[in-house]
Each structure stands twice: as structure tokens, then as C-alpha cells.
Amino acid sequence: MAKQIQAVRGMNDCLPGTTQIWQKVEETLRKTVASYGYQEIRFPIVESTDLFKRSIGEVTDIVEKEMYTFDDRSGDSLTLRPEGTAVCVRAGNENGLLYNQEQRLWYMGPMFRHERPQKGRYRQFHQFGVETFGIASADIDAEVILMTARLWKEFGISQYVRLELNSLGSNEARAQYRDALVAFLEQHVEQLDEDSKRRMHSNPLRVLDSKNPEVQALLVDAPKLSEHLDDESKAHFANLCERLDAAGVEYQVNEKLVRGLDYYNRTVFEWVTESLGAQGTVCAGGRYDGLVEQLGGKATPAVGFAMGLERLVLMLQELECVGQIRRSADVYVAAMGDKASIQAPVIAEQLRTDVSGLRVMVHAGGGNFKKQLKRADKSDALVALILGEDELAEGKVTVKYLREQKEQITVSLAEVTTLLQALTE
Ligand code: ATP
Ligand code: MG
């Protein structure tokens, strides 16, 4: 036998059964964001490497070690998108969507990062993201957070996620804080682990993210970001909190929440869960007022978030919040004899026309009555329609109930339509 080729590590197939859950999730996401007036944007999976280097930041995990970067046949350096925000801004700039306008956009699709695969962390994964442009005030920050809170409600997982919130202030305030933090870390450098030492100069705010308890203990006495916030950012944050309070969205201010990407300023937030073990962040976002200009557009304020769909689906499965999944077939059509087998798909077409949304599976591959009924049983269908030579001659079909103790009946095609209509209601 020929050797089988395997999927690339960290890149998963999604099989029937699970695809149904994904479809439901995607439908809920689409419907919910539409109820806020957001519109979909689609952009390529492959972009110039420079786009990510310039936006995400050279000294971030993504750019340092996670990108799938390669030279194409023309020698251009391309990268499989590791995230959507930079691409959305590139597309918005290029197509003139951002300057002097307001946009409320969403996207969904695969992202690629070369990470160590584990539960909730893959090399190809999927994000659903929202990006808004042109609005600087905290009302829009509150809106996107409210939207995420509604999504958890729709999915039935509100009690399993909690919101963490912080403000990074203006770029100037953050730079000031950075200096104060570095000065502090330098005084205690012997207590830092290797990771923190490396980050101390390249990306010191990330030291606050450290999972090492000793580093965390040291940070208790570190200067606080909140002590360095500029007045405008303070007022912006207070306004956001007031709006969340008014809407009844609970949150915890986490001063150590800084997010891994360079482009954030002011609001940053994460929705975290204890239900997934180590990969606890299901949704993360924030404000990035500088990015549009940084990528060559006119200065435009922006705020958005991205949600990891694998983590969301895992949560729904583990918490048994998947809900009712629709049957793949309502009706299975079996045919006895050559003539009936030719007519069966014709009748099935008519049924699909007459009964909106009806899922009709027609037997294929021949075989006797027993075999066909076995297939009908194995399918999801509630009823089998049996078409034999006698039925065909009289314009009738036999209805056999597959999941209920009910006598089978032979009825006209018109009657079967009514009967099936009731089935789909
Ligand atoms: P983490 O700290 O878990 O690495 P991150 O800060 O790198 O997350 P973001 O870039 O903010 O993640 O992406 C937003 C969301 O996308 C994350 O909160 C998570 O739900 C999801 N996500 C990120 N990387 C992966 C991955 N490799 N596999 C699956 N989901 C991911
Ligand atoms: Mg990461």
C-alpha cells in the first residue's frame, strides 16, 4: 500500500458532526454582528511580509518566531496572515474606506502561526474579528465589548467567561511608563528569569505578562501603568467603565493586561475562561489609533477584537452548550425497480421545490429493499419514502416512519407534500 500523506502538524481537519457546530457558531456570529449594523469584509490569506513587520512590531512573539514566511516564485517575501487587524487596515487604506469615514466591519477566517500545537493552540486556527474605524470616543469601545457580551449570552456561556480591562494610555504615557518600568526591572535584574531579561529591553511591558510566580511577586512593587496615564486617557477609560456599568457588563480592571502586539493604545481587553486550561483567552481586543497612519493612511482612530473560534467551539463542547444540531436529512427516498429508481430523484426535486428547507436524501448505488432501508435507517431521516412499481403506477408513495412506532401509509404525492411540510415545522 502507498504511504499515506499526513496533514501538516497543528493544522486540523474539521469533520462532519463538528462542521455542524462550526456552522451554527458562524451563523450566530453573523446574525449577532448584523444586529449591530456591522458589515463583512474579506481579504487575502497571503500578504507582504512587511505589512506584519510594520504593524505587529518586530519584537513580538508573532513576528519573532511565529510567522509562516516564504519567498514566492518572483522572489517577493510573503506571509500567511497571522492575524486580521493589520490586513483589514491595509485593505481599508488601499480601497479608500477609512479616511474621513466611519466603518464597522467584521471578518472571519483562518490565521497561521508557527506555535507549539496543544489544546486550544494550533498552527492554522480561525478567528472571528470586528474592526471599527473613525470613532475616537469610548462609546464605540463600549459597543464592541457589549457585542462580545451578547455573543456569550447567545452561546449560553456567559457564566464561564469574565472580562478583563485595562488602559495603556497614549503612546507618550506608555513610553514614560516603559522607562519607569525598565528602571525598576534593572534594579532587580537578578530576580528575573531569562525570558523576562530578554523582554526587559526589547518589549518591557510584556514582562508584566510573565507566568512565572517569582517574577509576578517582584512586580507587586513595580511602578503602575495607571500612575502614568495621561488625563485624556483616564477620562476615556472612566467613560468606558461608566458605559459598561450602565449596561450591566461586569469586568475586572487588570493593570497587568498589556496585550502582545505593539499597535494598541488606550483600551485593551480580554475575555478569559477557566474552562479550557492553559489557553484561557477566547477573545482579545483593544484600541489602535496609530495603526492606520503607521501603515500609510491618514490618522484614523480604531478599535476592534478577535475571537479564537477553536477555543470557542471547544468551550461549547466541553460545557455541553452546543444545543440542538439540525438533522442532515429529513427524508430518505428509496426506490424498488429500475423505473422507480429513475423517478425517485425527479420526485425528490419536486419535494425540494414544494417544501422549503426540506432535506431530501435519495438512495444511490442500487441494491434490494433491505439494503435501501438499512441506509435509510443509518441516515438522519425521520421518514423513508418508498417508491415501488405499484406506487409509481398509481402516483403514490409509501411513507415509513423510521424513528416512531407508527404504521406505514401509502398516500398521493400531494398528500406527502403536506405531511412533509408538517415535519419541517
Ligand atoms: P495567546 O496569549 O493565547 O497566545 P494571543 O495574544 O497571541 O493569544 P491574539 O493575537 O490576541 O492572541 O488573538 C486573539 C485570539 O485568537 C486569542 O485570544 C485566541 O483565542 C486566538 N488564538 C491566538 N493564537 C491562537 C492559536 N495559535 N490557536 C488557536 N487560537 C489562537
Ligand atoms: Mg500568541
Side-chain angles (χ1 to χ4, degrees):
M1 262 206 314
K3 190 168 176 274
Q4 282 188 12
I5 296 173
Q6 312 274 308
V8 176
R9 189 164 126 83
M11 306 204 180
N12 299 314
D13 302 309
C14 187
L15 306 178
T18 311
T19 46
Q20 289 171 313
I21 303 174
W22 279 78
Q23 285 171 1
K24 241 182 114 169
V25 165
E26 289 162 9
E27 190 188 311
T28 304
L29 291 166
R30 285 200 182 94
K31 266 197 197 151
T32 307
V33 290
S35 77
Y36 288 77
Y38 285 56
Q39 284 189 297
E40 185 182 9
I41 180 166
R42 299 188 184 194
F43 31 67
I45 285 172
V46 183
E47 295 278 339
S48 297
T49 302
D50 279 346
L51 171 63
F52 303 112
K53 284 199 175 162
R54 257 169 71 185
S55 54
I56 297 169
E58 297 263 6
V59 279
T60 55
D61 286 350
I62 293 181
V63 174
E64 275 185 341
K65 50 187 191 205
E66 294 175 359
M67 293 205 301
Y68 278 89
T69 297
F70 59 97
D71 287 345
D72 76 356
R73 287 171 193 273
S74 327
D76 296 327
S77 180
L78 304 181
T79 294
L80 302 186
R81 61 185 192 196
E83 60 116 36
T85 303
V87 188
C88 191
V89 171
R90 198 272 305 138
N93 276 339
E94 191 166 337
N95 295 287
L97 301 184
L98 307 185
Y99 179 56
N100 247 342
Q101 295 173 67
E102 286 177 5
Q103 295 288 351
R104 289 168 157 96
L105 305 173
W106 66 269
Y107 63 86
M108 180 153 54
M111 305 294 163
F112 302 83
R113 297 184 194 178
H114 196 276
E115 303 198 68
R116 193 167 68 78
Q118 53 196 292
K119 184 180 165 195
R121 190 176 294 285
Y122 313 98
R123 291 183 174 177
Q124 174 174 326
F125 62 100
H126 297 76
Q127 282 183 340
F128 172 82
V130 156
E131 314 290 358
T132 71
F133 296 95
I135 306 162
S137 44
D139 44 3
I140 193 74
D141 307 47
E143 178 174 288
V144 300
I145 291 174
L146 245 60
M147 180 190 279
T148 51
R150 172 172 291 273
L151 283 168
W152 312 135
K153 254 187 233 148
E154 297 282 342
F155 289 122
I157 57 172
S158 296
Q159 70 266 46
Y160 305 106
V161 288
R162 86 191 134 71
L163 174 62
E164 297 199 350
L165 199 61
N166 196 18
S167 176
L168 301 177
S170 65
N171 289 343
E172 300 74 47
R174 195 152 53 128
Q176 262 182 28
Y177 173 64
R178 199 183 147 114
D179 292 345
L181 183 64
V182 171
F184 172 85
L185 294 174
E186 275 172 342
Q187 278 171 12
H188 300 87
V189 72
E190 71 288 350
Q191 284 160 268
L192 294 177
D193 56 19
E194 283 312 309
D195 225 25
S196 302
K197 275 186 197 154
R198 199 173 52 82
R199 284 176 173 167
M200 182 171 90
H201 293 290
S202 59
N203 198 347
L205 265 60
R206 287 307 302 274
V207 176
L208 300 180
D209 263 353
S210 172
K211 304 263 185 314
N212 183 339
E214 285 167 33
V215 175
Q216 282 303 331
L218 171 70
L219 290 172
V220 172
D221 300 319
K224 301 264 176 299
L225 184 53
S226 57
E227 291 158 5
H228 290 260
L229 283 194
D230 50 299
D231 289 343
E232 272 184 67
S233 294
K234 268 189 203 155
H236 189 275
F237 192 60
N239 189 252
L240 171 60
C241 292
E242 188 185 345
R243 288 170 182 279
L244 294 178
D245 292 339
V249 176
E250 285 176 34
Y251 54 86
Q252 289 167 316
V253 177
N254 175 0
E255 286 221 32
K256 299 216 175 80
L257 182 66
V258 293
R259 310 278 307 116
L261 296 81
D262 269 4
Y263 50 61
Y264 287 114
N265 66 299
R266 289 199 174 154
T267 312
V268 286
F269 66 93
E270 285 191 1
W271 285 95
V272 290
T273 178
E274 319 301 332
S275 315
L276 289 179
Q279 319 314 325
T281 306
V282 279
C283 174
R287 182 165 274 286
Y288 50 96
D289 294 333
L291 185 59
V292 175
E293 195 176 18
Q294 195 181 319
L295 289 176
K298 293 254 169 55
T300 305
V303 56
F305 65 79
M307 195 177 280
L309 295 186
E310 279 78 4
R311 292 184 194 178
L312 176 59
V313 169
L314 271 172
M315 270 189 86
L316 296 177
Q317 287 172 319
E318 277 176 28
L319 299 167
E320 292 174 7
C321 294
V322 170
Q324 193 78 34
I325 296 288
R326 233 199 115 177
R327 287 186 300 276
S328 55
D330 304 308
V331 182
Y332 194 95
V333 182
M336 304 305 143
D338 292 344
K339 264 196 204 152
S341 138
I342 301 236
Q343 277 313 302
V346 178
I347 291 173
E349 286 302 330
Q350 194 57 49
L351 290 175
R352 293 184 190 107
T353 306
D354 293 344
V355 186
S356 152
L358 188 69
R359 298 175 175 198
V360 188
M361 192 181 261
V362 182
H363 181 82
N368 59 22
F369 187 65
K370 206 172 142 204
K371 175 181 169 187
Q372 295 199 27
L373 272 195
K374 237 185 182 163
R375 290 273 188 286
D377 244 342
K378 259 189 130 174
S379 80
D380 262 356
L382 294 176
V383 298
L385 295 189
I386 302 161
L387 195 61
E389 303 292 324
D390 293 348
E391 283 95 344
L392 201 62
E394 292 171 41
K396 292 188 167 172
V397 288
T398 296
V399 180
K400 182 176 163 58
Y401 292 89
L402 298 169
R403 321 280 163 212
E404 297 172 85
Q405 297 288 356
K406 241 168 140 179
E407 278 295 301
Q408 69 176 45
I409 44 170
T410 301
V411 292
S412 73
L413 284 173
E415 282 170 298
V416 93
T417 306
T418 319
L419 198 142
L420 295 177
Q421 245 144 10
L423 207 69
T424 52
E425 270 154 18

